[in-house]
Amino acid sequence: PMALAFTERLDPLAVVYDCMDELSGFHGAPSELVERERQLFRMADVVFTGGQSLYESKRQQHGNVHAFPSSVDTPHYAKARQWQADPRDQTGIARPRIGFFGVVDERLDLGLLKAMADLKPEWQFVVIGPVVKIDPASLPQATNLHYLGSKQYAELPAYIAGWDAAMMPFAHNDATRFISPTK
């Protein structure tokens, strides 16, 4: 919605609104976002939403809204079920390993992550992904918390293969109200 100003000179054959998040629920969302989205709904020929709950929220706002549920690249991630050598930056991390990959932002419950690390100091928590829109200094620190940063898509199965379990420590807040995780 915030890109509408850049499209004023265009004469498109069709307008597709790819609504994958309720952006107005994110911290620091521009105040004009809701009005811009209304404008986009008036212009759009079709709207796709990222998941059923977002579809339920948006379907009354446009006559041609379709849920576009998240999916998984099964052949790609099935590689994680086969033995693989650990990536270098994960080799020295003891077991058991509990991992997460995705964007590290306001949608993660950092308090929960810290509480798990404190409760189970013998477990190693591996977090893979870029830190976005939050101060990296706000990430909880512990000897069993390991932030490995961004990785290429092709690398992810090798990391996952070295985990004993995976987690999705999402917070319950406005930014996750309509989340449709694929992990």
Side-chain angles (χ1 to χ4, degrees), residues 17-171:
Y17 177 21
D18 179 25
C19 181
M20 294 295 117
D21 279 306
E22 181 57 74
L23 297 174
S24 64
F26 282 65
H27 178 73
S31 58
E32 63 269 25
L33 183 91
V34 173
E35 178 53 35
R36 293 269 176 94
E37 184 176 66
R38 281 190 201 109
Q39 292 172 4
L40 186 52
F41 273 122
R42 288 192 295 271
M43 295 170 57
D45 295 290
V46 63
V47 177
F48 294 108
T49 63
Q52 192 64 31
S53 61
L54 193 55
Y55 165 77
E56 295 297 334
S57 170
K58 302 296 183 181
R59 71 183 182 147
Q60 300 301 320
Q61 299 177 46
H62 194 277
N64 194 14
V65 178
H66 303 273
F68 199 83
S70 300
S71 61
V72 174
D73 181 351
T74 303
H76 177 70
Y77 288 105
K79 297 171 194 171
R81 299 185 63 97
Q82 302 161 5
W83 182 89
Q84 298 184 40
D86 254 336
R88 270 194 355 230
D89 57 349
Q90 186 168 268
T91 301
I93 299 173
R95 291 181 175 267
R97 295 180 193 146
I98 295 80
F100 167 81
F101 71 88
V103 176
V104 179
D105 64 10
E106 66 191 89
R107 293 174 292 182
L108 289 189
D109 188 334
L110 299 179
L112 175 63
L113 188 58
K114 176 67 169 143
M116 290 188 303
D118 289 345
L119 184 64
K120 294 293 187 180
E122 69 278 15
W123 293 4
Q124 305 303 308
F125 297 92
V126 178
V127 178
I128 292 175
V131 178
V132 177
K133 297 190 325 182
I134 62 171
D135 182 357
S138 71
L139 297 176
Q141 300 297 313
T143 58
N144 60 339
L145 281 172
H146 309 275
Y147 301 100
L148 303 185
S150 295
K151 303 298 173 195
Q152 296 295 313
Y153 180 74
E155 297 176 284
L156 293 175
Y159 283 93
I160 298 167
W163 297 348
D164 298 287
M167 62 179 169
M168 291 190 299
F170 290 112

